[in-house]
Amino acid sequence: MNLKDIHIGSLVKAKAEELGVPATRIMNFFNCTEAEIQEMYDQESIDTKKLLRWSKLLHFDFFRIYTGHLILYSPPSKTDRAIKLESSMLEFRKSVYTEEVKCFILNKILSGQMTTTEVLTKYKIPKTTLYKWIKKA
């Protein structure tokens, strides 16, 4: 999956086809016609309310795709670093790395496109996390 250029409509369509959800069920769920469903499949971006409904219908978090994009392609902001320095309390942090992100990073390393040092520097992934992924691969 290409996380740089996200065409959410085609991803929704692929998931619906993968699960074999009948078109009539989708039309009843959204209360719309088959042409309107096809129009949603053709859209590069979908309204968040509709995307939330797709996530519920297909039991898949489509918003995580955008989270993966942010992790990989957005530069760290100066305010984030300043907040981290000011905070002295430890915070519980749930894993924000999706399987797609893990696969993307591991493919870069295993194909020789990047070294582990380059990945650590570019994507700011904790060293222990990266080495656990490599060990499991």
Side-chain angles (χ1 to χ4, degrees):
M1 173 186 306
N2 182 5
L3 290 176
K4 193 164 192 171
D5 299 313
I6 300 170
H7 190 290
I8 197 69
S10 63
L11 297 174
V12 168
K13 181 179 180 178
K15 189 66 174 177
E17 289 173 352
E18 175 187 322
L19 296 174
V21 180
T24 54
R25 174 153 162 61
I26 297 170
M27 289 186 294
N28 288 338
F29 187 81
F30 282 99
N31 195 24
C32 62
T33 65
E34 193 168 357
E36 290 170 318
I37 298 296
Q38 187 59 45
E39 187 179 312
M40 281 191 258
Y41 289 157
D42 294 337
Q43 292 177 349
E44 188 173 345
S45 64
I46 296 177
D47 177 60
T48 53
K49 194 171 186 177
K50 287 181 185 175
L51 192 59
L52 180 61
R53 296 208 62 206
W54 275 112
S55 295
K56 289 178 181 179
L57 176 67
L58 302 178
H59 303 286
F60 184 83
D61 185 2
F62 289 101
F63 295 97
R64 290 280 259 186
I65 297 168
Y66 292 105
T67 303
H69 173 88
L70 289 173
I71 290 169
L72 292 174
Y73 298 107
S74 67
S77 67
K78 292 179 183 178
T79 56
D80 288 344
R81 281 184 255 144
I83 291 170
K84 286 180 186 176
L85 293 174
E86 291 173 8
S87 175
S88 61
M89 295 183 64
L90 296 176
E91 294 179 20
F92 176 77
R93 184 174 166 188
K94 184 179 176 184
S95 176
V96 294
Y97 304 105
T98 63
E99 283 302 313
E100 292 85 6
V101 170
K102 291 177 187 177
C103 290
F104 175 82
I105 297 294
L106 288 174
N107 284 337
K108 290 278 190 185
I109 293 170
L110 297 175
S111 68
Q113 293 177 344
M114 295 178 83
T115 65
T116 53
T117 309
E118 291 171 330
V119 169
L120 293 171
T121 305
K122 183 171 182 180
Y123 298 116
K124 307 283 190 241
I125 296 173
K127 190 187 299 186
T128 54
T129 302
L130 182 61
Y131 286 117
K132 283 180 187 176
W133 295 349
I134 293 170
K135 187 177 180 181
K136 288 181 183 179

